[in-house]
C-alpha cells in the first residue's frame, strides 16, 4: 500500500470543529462513543458496509481514537489520474475506476490531541506500517489538521483525516479493493502502534 502523511495547519486551512452541524442540512456530528446505535443515522455508513464496520470499530472504548466525520465516493477522472500516477499505473485502461473515503479522527489521549509533537512520530510509525500492507492498488493518506472541541469545555488541538483510496478494473473491483484496504487500516488504527 502506498502510504504517506502531511499537514494542513496553515492560517487558511480548514479547522475541524466538534460538535458540528452542516448549514441548511440535517447532517451533524454523531457521537458514536456515547451511542453506537446512532450509526443508523449516518447515511454513508448505511450505504457502505466497510465504512460502517470502520466507524463501529474506531469508536469502541478500547480504540485510541474516535470519529468526527466521514464520506465515501466514486472517484472522478482527475482524482483517478492523480492516484494512478502515484501508484505507478501507466495506462488508464489498467485501472479505469476508483473509490475513496475519508474519516476524521481525534485521538482520545488528551496530550496527543493537544500536541502535534505527539502525533508526528505516531503518524510516521503508522505510515511506515501501512506501507507494508499488501494493497498494491490502494493508497492511505493521513492529514494532520487543527481541531477545536467543545464538549462542555473548549479545547484547541489537532485531528487527523484518514483517506483510503483504491483503483480497479471496474467499479466493483475498485470498491472491493477500497473495502479490503480500509479494513486493514482500521485494524492498524486499533493496534498498540496507534497509541501515543
Amino acid at each position: 500500500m502506498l502510504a504517506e502523511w502531511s499537514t494542513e495547519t496553515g492560517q487558511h486551512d480548514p479547522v475541524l470543529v466538534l460538535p458540528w452541524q452542516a448549514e441548511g442540512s440535517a447532517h451533524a456530528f454523531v457521537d458514536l462513543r456515547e451511542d453506537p446505535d446512532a450509526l443508523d443515522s449516518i447515511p454513508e455508513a448505511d450505504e457502505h458496509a466497510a465504512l460502517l464496520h470502520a466507524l463501529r470499530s474506531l469508536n469502541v472504548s478500547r480504540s485510541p481514537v474516535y470519529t468526527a466525520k466521514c464520506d465515501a465516493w466514486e472517484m472522478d477522472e482527475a482524482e483517478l489520474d492523480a492516484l494512478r500516477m502515484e501508484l505507478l499505473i501507466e495506462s488508464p485502461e489498467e485501472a479505469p475506476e476508483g473509490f475513496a473515503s475519508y474519516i476524521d479522527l481525534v485521538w482520545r489521549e488528551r496530550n496527543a490531541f493537544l500536541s502535534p509533537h505527539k502525533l508526528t512520530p505516531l503518524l510516521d510509525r503508522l505510515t511506515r506500517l501501512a506501507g507494508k500492507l499488501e494493497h498494491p492498488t490502494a493508497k492511505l493518506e493521513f492529514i494532520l489538521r487543527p481541531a477545536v472541541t467543545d464538549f462542555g469545555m473548549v479545547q484547541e488541538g489537532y485531528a487527523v483525516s484518514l483517506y483510503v483510496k483504491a483503483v480497479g478494473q471496474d467499479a466493483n473491483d475498485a470498491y472491493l479493493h477500497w473495502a479490503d484496504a480500509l479494513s486493514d487500516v482500521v485494524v492498524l488504527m486499533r493496534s498498540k502502534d496507534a497509541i501515543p
Side-chain angles (χ1 to χ4, degrees):
M1 173 182 273
L2 176 63
E4 60 187 30
W5 74 272
S6 61
T7 62
E8 292 184 3
T9 55
Q11 181 178 348
H12 301 293
D13 288 321
V15 176
L16 177 66
V17 177
L18 290 176
W20 59 270
Q21 170 79 50
E23 278 188 48
S25 166
H27 289 346
F29 172 66
V30 177
D31 194 341
L32 296 172
R33 299 168 300 171
E34 298 297 321
D35 185 7
D37 292 334
L39 272 166
D40 295 341
S41 67
I42 301 175
E44 298 84 0
D46 192 43
E47 294 166 12
H48 307 289
L51 188 56
L52 182 143
H53 294 306
L55 294 174
R56 180 177 290 136
S57 183
L58 292 169
N59 284 284
V60 297
S61 61
R62 296 179 307 280
S63 172
V65 298
Y66 66 93
T67 64
K69 260 185 185 179
C70 67
D71 199 2
W73 64 94
E74 292 180 9
M75 297 173 68
D76 64 28
E77 198 56 40
E79 289 177 296
L80 272 167
D81 281 343
L83 183 56
R84 284 190 291 250
M85 188 179 301
E86 290 178 301
L87 294 174
L88 304 178
I89 296 172
E90 295 180 12
S91 167
E93 290 75 27
E94 291 179 57
E97 301 290 340
F99 199 84
S101 65
Y102 84 85
I103 304 173
D104 284 334
L105 305 171
V106 180
W107 260 261
R108 294 174 189 252
E109 206 269 310
R110 186 171 180 273
N111 287 335
F113 171 73
L114 295 174
S115 170
H117 304 296
K118 279 267 194 184
L119 289 176
T120 297
L122 180 61
L123 293 175
D124 280 336
R125 185 166 66 244
L126 290 171
T127 302
R128 188 176 65 253
L129 292 169
K132 297 176 183 177
L133 296 174
E134 292 293 326
H135 296 289
T137 59
K139 177 187 177 184
L140 159 73
E141 183 178 8
F142 293 114
I143 300 177
L144 179 68
R145 61 179 76 253
V148 176
T149 62
D150 185 2
F151 299 112
M153 180 177 75
V154 176
Q155 288 192 314
E156 294 183 10
Y158 296 86
V160 173
S161 296
L162 160 67
Y163 287 84
V164 175
K165 303 174 182 180
V167 296
Q169 296 177 341
D170 56 40
N172 187 58
D173 191 42
Y175 190 85
L176 292 175
H177 289 171
W178 162 78
D180 288 345
L182 179 60
S183 176
D184 283 351
V185 168
V186 168
V187 170
L188 180 59
M189 293 304 304
R190 288 278 313 274
S191 73
K192 64 181 184 342
D193 294 300
I195 298 170

